[in-house]
Amino acid sequence: MTSISEDSDKEKVRSVSVDLNNDASLVIDIPDALCERDKVKFTVHTKTTLSSFQKPEFSVPRQHEEFIWLHDTIVETEEYAGLIIPPAPPKPDFEGPREKMHKLGEGESSMTKEEYAKMKQELEAEYLAVFKKTVQVHEVFLQRFSSHPIFRKDRNFQIFLEYDQDLSVRRKNAKEMFGGFFKNMVKSADEVLISGVKEVDEFFEQEKTFLLDYSSKIKDATAKAEKMTRSHKNVADDYNHISGALNSTAADNNTAFKKTISVCVLQKLEDRVASDQELKLTELLRYYTRDIQAAKDLLYRRARALADNENSNKALDKARLKGKDIAQAEENQKQCLQKFDKLSESGKKELTSFKARRVVAFRKNLIEMTELEIKHAKVRRLKSNNTLYGSKLSIFLLCQKSLGY
Amino acid sequence: MAASSERSPPPFPDSEEPELLEDSDEGADAFTGTSISEMDSPSPDSTRPPKDIFNEPPEDIFSDPLSNINSEPQKKVDAKIPSPSSDEAVDLFSDPLDDDSEVMSSPEVQNPMPDLLNEPVEAPKSDVLGEPPVSSVKKAASSEMFGDDDDDEDLFKEPPKVVTKKPQPSGPPVDVFTEVKSDVKVKPQVKDDPTDLFAEEALTAPAPKPSAGSSSSRTNGVHSEEQDLFSEATVELSLDSPRNDRKNKDAVKPSVSAPAAPVASSSSKAPSKTLKELEEEESEDKFDLNISITNPEKVGDGMNAYMAYKVSTQTSLTMFRSKTFTVRRRFSDFLGLFEKLSEKHSQNGYLIPPPPEKSILGMTKVKVGKEDPSSAEFVERRRAALERYLQRVVSHPSLLQDPDVREFLEKEELPRAVSTQALSGAGFLKMLNKATDAVSKMTIKMNEQDVWFDEKIQDVENEEQHLRKLHVMVESLVNHRKELSGNTAVFAKSVAMLGSSEDNTALSRALSQLAEVEDRIEQLHQEQASNDFFTFSELLADYIRLLGAVRGCFDQRMKAWQRWQDAENMLQKKREAEAKLLWANKPDKLQQAKDEITEWEAKVTQYEREFERISATVRKEVIRFDKEKARDFNRQVIKYLESLLHSQQQLIKYWDAFLPEAKAIV
């Protein structure tokens, strides 16, 4: 059970920023979260000037499942088919740190007190990092809605923000899970089927190839970045262990190399580099992997509409040929066309803004990451410098001592 | 202390002047043997070959008579000492208890006396003198207080020797002294040694002197008392009480322990002094001898292939024929060198630097001849390890003198070291060590009377454990860093790909820049990983091996102790047998029994001396090792930190360069 107040870290936490045009009429944040077992309760705080809300400021407790519910209802709403729907936040995963914590508890007897304390501290830091990240993705999810001109007016969204009781969303049961899985299957099969449909708009054609390409690349990059940060963390862990071992060696050793050995103050920093890298870069990539998936979904919906359109065209032709049901087919065809056009139009807008948003977000994160890297490197340089002087000094003292001064 | 113990008697018997101090500097030389021989020559026993002192039995032979005398009482002393806790043992002997000790000893003294008288004590004495504590005491007493009466001096000196071996005899009748005295006179050289020692000590510890002087002057009149004093001092010596105790004693009762004081001071100063000496030695020690191993080269093909290394030496030492020379050596030659050295020196308690271990897997890879990076790394790693090994060998002052070392460095062709073929020398020795270690740990319950060793052995064991742990961690750091570098490379590639498919030109540019940066960082990680490995991990591996060797030294010492104890037991048995014979009144066998006793007494003394010598050597070696270790660690840590610093700087540079790119994204 950890409760954190994010205020101080707010700036940092928002790092995966999606370009949120923070207009003051609807500001959402998650200032606080409480973790109980596998449930995480987020406090969603809203400040608004919009008249559709009853109060200008309110906060409600929300769980992860409710976020998912919000996402699902919006996906299912027909009229948002032409929009990029913000990707749902991933399920909070505290298993890693928790497992480690457990292991630590088991290994407590085999470690010295300092080691244990250090490990514990370490794990707590890791846990906190995961926690922060989780809070942050949920926050960003809501902010995407609040900054979108259409979504912010969504009824369900407003209910989500305002209703201070439990939304009584239950978890998906097995059947629904299976249903979802099945739907996905159908969707991907459908994607293959309709890929044969000739694209009428060059913009979409282009966008489609780009997105497909980009999505695979970014997925790859994400995986690699994750790997990299993981090994970076391993290195940091090693530093940690080494510094522990060095300390105990030094403690046991009254010889001169005691002082020289306090080398590995660097470990903490390395750790921070790893987690910052994780936060800035990997999260960015991860987020965009999801976002691109959302964009791809949009494209799929559009393609679906396109296919429908073609089908209805065909149906109309057929009807005309047969001379019956013409009116109905015409109606149908018109509807499809309309829907398709609408979709195309909003899709185009969405994709363009998506692109702009992506570039801005990349820019911001890259800059931040670079700055952090520089900062850490500088701090590490300073530390190693200090330690270096420390060891040199201790050698000097040693010489002096042995010379009898 | 260790150093002083090995010092041989100075050339001039009569010259007692403290000015002889200069000799102290040469103490180091004493080890080399040559100096010893010079020093010894004046002594009646000049027959001794130089190196014999340390290595060979002849010395023991000389010491025999004395040792016999001493052995008896000493045994008793030992028997008594163990009973109280070792720390207290020291106190026991300190003044208040002296009386007791005398009392105890008196009966035993009887026996030794006759022996003493009968046998030519002369030769042994010089050996006895070899021991620093005694000599220092004696010297203190003699030079300071007794400077005037030669007789007294001699007297004192003599008794101390005797005393050293057997504290109890201190009580013995005057006859002993007179006898001793005469002996002393015969061998004046003994005195010199002490003086030197003392002089040195006096320098280091001027404070104790006065007290010693006063006390001695006080005691001067009474022989017996003086003897007691000496005995006390010697007892302490033999006990090797912890420095602290001594210091305390000094503080608490300076007057009483006057004779002891110099000893104490000398011993307490010993470590620092030795450190100092080592410092000095270091400067000499640098020996102007540069060894480097280069050009690993594969010779031959298939499974008979081996790597030959170029061993180049640069020196201005006169013991070598030329200033620079180069030989080619293969790995087994290095192992052979180690074996020769350890055969010759390890039983003396010398710390022989262990060579790197044989790696069948690594070598096979090299033999198979694949040009993959891992075998190149293996060769480089071994080359560096061999270089460090050789440097350690030649930086050891006594090992450098060894003809085999010289031969190894100089001689064009070495006979092939065959014994290392089947099994790595290091590995084999380690196995052997481990086996004997285990056995001796089970069978030998060494009653450690020397707190210094007690602590040191503990320390070494702990340290080894720690280093092992540390080593595992550093290894994993190396592996993880390599992994990180690999992953960074992969990431860089995939970022580059991402950049190529990005349609925003600025962003695409930035991404490809990022890819480049990551590429460079990967290089950095790789360099750092090899730094981790070569400066840190290898250092630890070396020291784990070295600590093993240190433990080997301790084991040697323990073995010597065991030998001594066994001899003591045997002697005890013989004595009992004699007593029985005496009781049974069988004079015919009595003579034989007596002969046996004399024989065993000689052995006991010999073993005891061996033990003491080995203790001194080991102590010196360990102190030297500690010093080297501190230096090595310091150097390596600094190197390592510098490498870290460097990579951080590079990192800053890279990211700094990237920052404007990121900012340029529109």
Side-chain angles (χ1 to χ4, degrees):
Chain A
M1 297 203 198
T2 321
S3 160
I4 46 158
S5 154
E6 309 276 300
D7 295 324
S8 57
D9 294 305
K10 188 84 38 85
E11 282 319 301
K12 210 174 155 191
V13 163
R14 284 233 183 93
S15 51
V16 171
S17 63
V18 191
D19 175 33
L20 304 168
N21 42 354
N22 279 325
D23 82 81
S25 60
L26 182 61
V27 180
I28 301 172
D29 62 346
I30 301 179
D32 199 22
L34 196 69
C35 176
E36 313 176 326
R37 302 207 162 264
D38 50 350
K39 274 189 203 161
V40 183
K41 280 190 174 161
F42 302 95
T43 310
V44 179
H45 174 253
T46 314
K47 232 173 160 181
T48 182
T49 53
L50 295 183
S51 55
S52 52
F53 293 99
Q54 284 163 351
K55 279 184 279 178
E57 194 171 347
F58 41 85
S59 35
V60 289
R62 288 288 173 260
Q63 286 184 25
H64 173 72
E65 282 72 28
E66 291 166 315
F67 284 83
I68 300 297
W69 165 82
L70 178 63
H71 177 256
D72 288 351
T73 39
I74 287 184
V75 168
E76 277 156 24
T77 313
E78 192 79 0
E79 51 185 298
Y80 300 142
L83 305 178
I84 294 177
I85 296 162
K91 195 172 165 8
D93 179 20
F94 296 119
E95 279 313 301
R98 205 173 272 146
E99 211 169 273
K100 274 196 207 160
M101 204 71 118
H102 188 63
K103 255 190 225 156
L104 181 69
E106 279 174 352
E108 187 178 352
S109 53
S110 65
M111 274 182 282
T112 64
K113 227 185 233 168
E114 295 89 45
E115 265 178 320
Y116 180 73
K118 206 164 186 185
M119 292 281 282
K120 205 175 154 196
Q121 207 183 347
E122 205 65 17
L123 273 182
E124 275 167 3
E126 196 183 325
Y127 185 74
L128 209 66
V130 175
F131 195 81
K132 270 186 198 166
K133 220 169 61 192
T134 312
V135 169
Q136 179 207 348
V137 286
H138 285 81
E139 197 181 40
V140 167
F141 173 69
L142 293 182
Q143 283 165 347
R144 281 282 299 277
F145 282 118
S146 72
S147 61
H148 197 282
I150 296 171
F151 287 131
R152 69 195 302 179
K153 293 188 190 109
D154 182 78
R155 191 63 211 135
N156 282 322
F157 178 54
Q158 295 194 351
I159 288 172
F160 177 89
L161 292 180
E162 217 172 4
Y163 186 63
D164 61 354
Q165 302 294 308
D166 198 346
L167 287 171
S168 74
V169 198
R170 60 199 165 75
R171 260 178 221 232
K172 287 180 181 168
N173 60 29
K175 200 176 151 198
E176 276 170 321
M177 291 278 267
F178 183 73
F181 179 67
F182 186 68
K183 228 161 74 186
N184 268 341
M185 293 281 287
V186 170
K187 196 180 108 186
S188 35
D190 208 25
E191 243 165 23
V192 177
L193 277 180
I194 61 178
S195 64
V197 179
K198 201 177 172 294
E199 183 58 73
V200 285
D201 192 330
E202 203 181 314
F203 172 81
F204 282 102
E205 182 64 44
Q206 223 177 5
E207 206 56 24
K208 196 172 121 193
T209 44
F210 166 70
L211 277 181
L212 281 177
D213 186 30
Y214 204 75
S215 128
S216 69
K217 298 275 167 58
I218 206 166
K219 246 186 215 160
D220 185 49
T222 312
K224 301 292 152 55
E226 263 166 33
K227 243 190 193 164
M228 186 173 74
T229 39
R230 210 167 32 236
S231 39
H232 214 137
K233 266 196 184 130
N234 280 338
V235 170
D237 277 354
D238 287 337
Y239 268 124
N240 185 18
H241 290 144
I242 288 171
S243 76
L246 278 175
N247 276 338
S248 62
T249 312
D252 249 45
N253 227 306
N254 33 17
T255 49
F257 74 115
K258 194 180 203 164
K259 273 185 201 157
T260 70
I261 252 170
S262 47
V263 186
C264 292
V265 213
L266 306 167
Q267 156 268 325
K268 275 238 164 75
L269 290 158
E270 202 70 40
D271 206 19
R272 193 148 334 128
V273 173
S275 70
D276 280 345
Q277 216 173 30
E278 162 104 8
L279 198 65
K280 295 286 167 195
L281 188 62
T282 321
E283 272 304 288
L284 171 81
L285 291 171
R286 221 177 272 155
Y287 190 81
Y288 273 93
T289 317
R290 292 202 308 272
D291 217 9
I292 280 171
Q293 192 54 46
K296 263 165 71 188
D297 283 351
L298 166 72
L299 280 184
Y300 161 70
R301 287 192 297 266
R302 192 189 149 276
R304 183 72 254 177
L306 179 66
D308 284 352
N309 190 20
E310 303 244 315
N311 284 346
S312 65
N313 278 344
K314 271 181 208 154
L316 183 63
D317 287 347
K318 224 189 239 170
R320 278 200 184 122
L321 217 62
K322 284 183 183 166
K324 58 178 179 180
D325 293 337
I326 295 179
Q328 197 197 339
E330 240 169 15
E331 178 70 12
N332 198 1
Q333 190 260 351
K334 216 193 256 168
Q335 228 175 24
C336 282
L337 189 65
Q338 204 181 1
K339 189 180 154 201
F340 173 70
D341 283 346
K342 209 180 113 199
L343 254 175
S344 297
E345 195 189 332
S346 70
K348 205 180 254 180
K349 225 188 298 170
E350 280 286 303
L351 285 174
T352 320
S353 80
F354 165 73
K355 219 182 257 175
R357 205 170 58 219
R358 195 189 65 228
V359 171
V360 172
F362 263 93
R363 173 175 192 265
K364 183 163 169 263
N365 276 290
L366 283 179
I367 290 176
E368 278 176 1
M369 187 185 76
T370 312
E371 274 165 354
L372 276 173
E373 288 272 5
I374 292 173
K375 195 183 100 199
H376 288 318
K378 277 185 178 151
V379 175
R380 274 180 295 180
R381 183 179 60 178
L382 191 72
K383 287 264 175 174
S384 3
N385 229 341
N386 284 347
T387 337
L388 191 59
Y389 284 128
S391 2
K392 278 185 177 160
L393 185 69
S394 79
I395 291 178
F396 176 68
L397 290 178
L398 181 76
C399 290
Q400 267 198 338
K401 212 171 96 195
S402 59
L403 284 173
Y405 293 111
Chain B
M1 198 179 181
S4 56
S5 72
E6 310 230 347
R7 242 162 246 155
S8 55
F12 294 103
D14 290 341
S15 62
E16 294 225 41
E17 316 94 354
E19 276 80 312
L20 279 183
L21 307 180
E22 285 93 312
D23 292 354
S24 64
D25 289 342
E26 281 154 35
D29 298 342
F31 294 110
T32 61
T34 53
S35 59
I36 288 173
S37 62
E38 288 170 18
M39 289 175 166
D40 290 342
S41 56
S43 72
D45 310 326
S46 54
T47 47
R48 245 192 247 157
K51 287 199 176 174
D52 292 350
I53 296 183
F54 297 113
N55 308 333
E56 292 179 8
E59 182 199 1
D60 300 336
I61 293 170
F62 292 123
S63 58
D64 281 356
L66 224 210
S67 60
N68 291 345
I69 299 169
N70 299 332
S71 61
E72 242 270 272
Q74 194 161 21
K75 195 215 222 153
K76 253 87 205 218
V77 175
D78 288 341
K80 267 148 202 176
I81 293 166
S83 57
S85 76
S86 58
D87 288 351
E88 280 156 22
V90 180
D91 296 335
L92 243 185
F93 290 96
S94 61
D95 276 1
L97 295 180
D98 278 353
D99 296 345
D100 294 345
S101 66
E102 287 170 25
V103 175
M104 294 168 168
S105 56
S106 55
E108 289 136 19
V109 173
Q110 258 48 326
N111 291 337
M113 294 322 300
D115 292 339
L116 235 187
L117 297 173
N118 300 338
E119 291 176 30
V121 188
E122 316 180 349
K125 259 153 199 180
S126 63
D127 292 343
V128 174
L129 294 175
E131 293 182 326
V134 178
S135 58
S136 67
V137 173
K138 187 215 312 183
K139 181 250 168 175
S142 58
S143 66
E144 291 287 315
M145 333 131 181
F146 304 114
D148 296 346
D149 346 335
D150 290 344
D151 282 1
D152 277 350
E153 254 189 81
D154 294 347
L155 243 185
F156 288 120
K157 282 178 192 171
E158 269 289 279
K161 295 161 194 170
V162 179
V163 173
T164 13
K165 297 297 154 147
K166 22 169 176 171
Q168 302 89 336
S170 56
V174 185
D175 297 346
V176 176
F177 288 117
T178 56
E179 238 241 283
V180 172
K181 238 202 234 173
S182 63
D183 292 336
V184 173
K185 275 163 185 168
V186 176
K187 311 150 195 175
Q189 72 281 12
V190 173
K191 282 183 206 164
D192 298 341
D193 192 0
T195 28
D196 294 346
L197 276 177
F198 187 64
E200 216 201 319
E201 263 133 36
L203 285 180
T204 53
K209 249 206 252 171
S211 70
S214 67
S215 66
S216 58
S217 64
R218 172 176 65 88
T219 52
N220 211 348
V222 192
H223 285 290
S224 65
E225 256 200 88
E226 280 176 63
Q227 262 197 348
D228 291 350
L229 279 174
F230 285 118
S231 69
E232 193 196 336
T234 47
V235 171
E236 279 183 305
L237 283 173
S238 64
L239 285 178
D240 262 335
S241 66
R243 291 172 237 144
N244 292 342
D245 282 0
R246 285 177 186 173
K247 272 181 194 160
N248 291 343
K249 238 200 258 167
D250 286 351
V252 177
K253 26 183 173 168
S255 65
V256 176
S257 55
V263 177
S265 67
S266 71
S267 62
S268 65
K269 288 273 146 112
S272 66
K273 186 176 68 183
T274 27
L275 274 191
K276 218 196 281 179
E277 270 169 22
L278 282 175
E279 254 331 302
E280 285 157 18
E281 248 171 63
E282 262 163 40
S283 39
E284 300 162 21
D285 200 56
K286 290 294 131 203
F287 288 137
D288 186 30
L289 185 66
N290 273 326
I291 292 189
S292 58
I293 295 181
T294 48
N295 288 356
E297 210 176 72
K298 202 167 126 183
V299 179
D301 276 317
M303 284 321 279
N304 286 325
Y306 63 90
M307 297 299 294
Y309 304 86
K310 200 165 121 190
V311 181
S312 333
T313 314
Q314 237 190 337
T315 181
S316 60
L317 292 186
T318 47
M319 56 185 269
F320 294 102
R321 277 183 301 231
S322 54
K323 287 211 186 306
T324 55
F325 41 89
T326 311
V327 287
R328 291 202 77 81
R329 293 282 177 259
R330 54 181 295 180
F331 183 63
S332 51
D333 294 335
F334 288 85
L335 293 184
L337 174 65
F338 168 73
E339 267 178 11
K340 278 184 209 153
L341 290 178
S342 56
E343 227 169 80
K344 264 189 277 185
H345 298 288
S346 74
Q347 80 267 24
N348 291 322
Y350 282 117
L351 178 65
I352 319 284
E357 269 131 47
K358 200 157 188 161
S359 156
I360 292 168
L361 183 73
M363 201 51 213
T364 313
K365 249 189 187 167
V366 174
K367 278 176 182 167
V368 171
K370 277 196 193 131
E371 291 290 323
D372 66 342
S374 76
S375 77
E377 194 187 293
F378 169 79
V379 170
E380 165 58 18
R381 177 185 176 182
R382 174 166 279 183
R383 185 204 63 74
L386 287 174
E387 191 174 276
R388 287 193 305 272
Y389 161 67
L390 261 197
Q391 276 161 357
R392 282 203 180 96
V393 169
V394 299
S395 70
H396 192 296
S398 353
L399 293 186
L400 178 60
Q401 305 296 329
D402 192 281
D404 279 327
V405 174
R406 229 175 303 173
E407 202 172 70
F408 182 87
L409 293 176
E410 258 181 340
K411 205 170 169 191
E412 209 50 59
E413 288 292 322
L414 268 192
R416 186 85 195 282
V418 207
S419 54
T420 65
Q421 284 297 298
L423 201 50
S424 143
F428 183 66
L429 205 87
K430 211 196 267 162
M431 260 168 55
L432 211 72
N433 265 351
K434 266 186 193 148
T436 50
D437 208 27
V439 172
S440 61
K441 269 201 185 118
M442 275 186 289
T443 56
I444 307 183
K445 280 247 159 51
M446 182 157 179
N447 195 344
E448 188 58 75
Q449 295 155 359
D450 188 330
V451 180
W452 187 87
F453 274 108
D454 209 22
E455 277 172 4
K456 211 68 209 171
I457 289 171
Q458 267 305 317
D459 280 357
V460 165
E461 258 162 37
N462 288 342
E463 202 180 334
E464 196 176 344
Q465 262 177 8
H466 279 132
L467 286 188
R468 270 180 204 287
K469 217 165 122 193
L470 200 57
H471 187 237
V472 171
M473 283 164 185
V474 174
E475 293 266 274
S476 96
L477 174 69
V478 172
N479 288 336
H480 280 143
R481 217 196 275 280
K482 276 184 187 153
E483 207 175 274
L484 174 61
S485 124
N487 285 337
T488 311
V490 175
F491 175 69
K493 253 184 221 125
S494 108
V495 166
M497 297 284 284
L498 186 66
S500 72
S501 67
E502 172 64 59
D503 57 354
N504 180 306
T505 37
L507 183 53
S508 160
R509 215 174 103 88
L511 284 178
S512 53
Q513 290 287 337
L514 178 65
E516 243 168 71
V517 170
E518 293 287 353
D519 245 349
R520 274 188 220 140
I521 289 174
E522 182 244 318
Q523 287 291 320
L524 220 53
H525 283 317
Q526 214 160 13
E527 277 164 32
Q528 192 55 50
S530 72
N531 272 331
D532 285 344
F533 183 73
F534 281 111
T535 54
F536 211 0
S537 174
E538 286 289 84
L539 172 76
L540 292 173
D542 272 9
Y543 272 92
I544 288 170
R545 276 203 299 271
L546 278 167
L547 283 176
V550 171
R551 275 194 312 162
C553 289
F554 287 141
D555 288 347
Q556 289 292 347
R557 179 173 167 271
M558 204 196 280
K559 270 188 222 149
W561 186 82
Q562 180 65 12
R563 263 203 306 274
W564 172 31
Q565 291 306 304
D566 286 348
E568 289 265 15
N569 287 339
M570 198 51 147
L571 179 60
Q572 186 66 31
K573 267 183 215 150
K574 298 280 180 215
R575 287 238 167 85
E576 276 161 17
E578 190 209 11
K580 263 182 210 155
L581 287 174
L582 216 56
W583 187 253
N585 203 4
K586 285 182 186 162
D588 47 333
K589 287 188 189 163
L590 203 56
Q591 188 48 47
Q592 193 198 338
K594 269 195 177 131
D595 286 348
E596 273 180 356
I597 287 176
T598 346
E599 184 195 329
W600 279 100
E601 275 171 349
K603 273 191 188 153
V604 168
T605 326
Q606 173 197 338
Y607 289 148
E608 184 196 355
R609 190 154 312 130
E610 254 169 34
F611 171 69
E612 264 156 32
R613 204 185 53 225
I614 214 173
S615 294
T617 318
V618 169
R619 186 188 277 238
K620 184 175 179 273
E621 288 285 293
V622 170
I623 287 171
R624 186 176 171 280
F625 168 76
D626 275 346
K627 183 98 177 122
E628 291 259 303
K629 186 180 69 190
R631 230 166 11 128
D632 250 22
F633 267 85
N634 268 322
R635 210 174 33 220
Q636 293 297 330
V637 165
I638 284 181
K639 209 165 137 199
Y640 184 63
L641 281 173
E642 269 164 357
S643 78
L644 276 183
L645 198 62
H646 176 73
S647 62
Q648 296 308 334
Q649 242 143 5
Q650 289 298 106
L651 213 54
I652 292 175
K653 221 172 83 191
Y654 295 156
W655 285 114
D656 264 342
F658 176 67
L659 193 55
E661 288 293 335
K663 281 187 173 152
I665 303 171
V666 185

